[in-house]
Amino acid sequence: MTLNISADLSSLFTWNTKQVFVFVAAEYETPQNALNQVSLWDGIIPSKEHAKFLIHTTNKYRFIDQGSNLKGKDFNLTMHWHIMPKTGKMFADKIVMTGYRLPEQYR
């Protein structure tokens, strides 16, 4: 899977932000679980100067369909971020991008 990830997370940085951990996950439903997540990429943004980025990459972690139960199924790509402060409580948020579908057949 090839990913084009662009984001401007500079607004997450304040005087109290140490760093921001960000990851992209494929999320889907199965009869057994309402939410399944597979991490595809992650990174640490160390400062506001690095918070605006454009990355073209293959998935860092494998998206494995054990038992081929996901063929032709819909999934979302979700970018999660965790703001790690210098002091105080950590804060997390996300943005969900819908409309993705796995192929009916795999190679």
Side-chain angles (χ1 to χ4, degrees):
M1 181 180 292
T2 301
L3 303 169
N4 291 313
I5 305 167
S6 63
D8 183 354
L9 303 178
S10 57
S11 65
L12 302 178
F13 283 84
T14 68
W15 64 271
N16 192 36
T17 306
K18 180 178 180 181
Q19 63 187 15
V20 176
F21 174 68
V22 60
F23 70 97
V24 174
E27 299 181 341
Y28 57 93
E29 294 181 11
T30 61
Q32 297 82 14
N33 299 301
L35 177 63
N36 298 275
Q37 294 179 312
V38 177
S39 182
L40 301 175
W41 174 87
D42 63 31
I44 294 174
I45 312 301
S47 66
K48 188 173 188 172
E49 293 74 32
H50 295 95
K52 189 173 185 178
F53 56 91
L54 170 62
I55 298 169
H56 178 80
T57 185
T58 57
N59 50 306
K60 189 174 179 180
Y61 307 104
R62 297 186 67 180
F63 190 1
I64 298 173
D65 179 9
Q66 296 177 354
S68 300
N69 298 316
L70 298 176
K71 289 181 180 179
K73 301 289 185 199
D74 294 327
F75 70 98
N76 298 326
L77 287 176
T78 303
M79 179 180 278
H80 297 261
W81 56 88
H82 297 260
I83 302 169
M84 298 173 186
K86 294 174 184 170
T87 183
K89 183 179 173 184
M90 191 164 55
F91 174 78
D93 205 353
K94 65 183 177 183
I95 184 168
V96 179
M97 298 157 279
T98 62
Y100 297 93
R101 179 179 282 268
L102 290 168
E104 294 288 338
Q105 298 206 4
Y106 303 145
R107 288 188 228 160

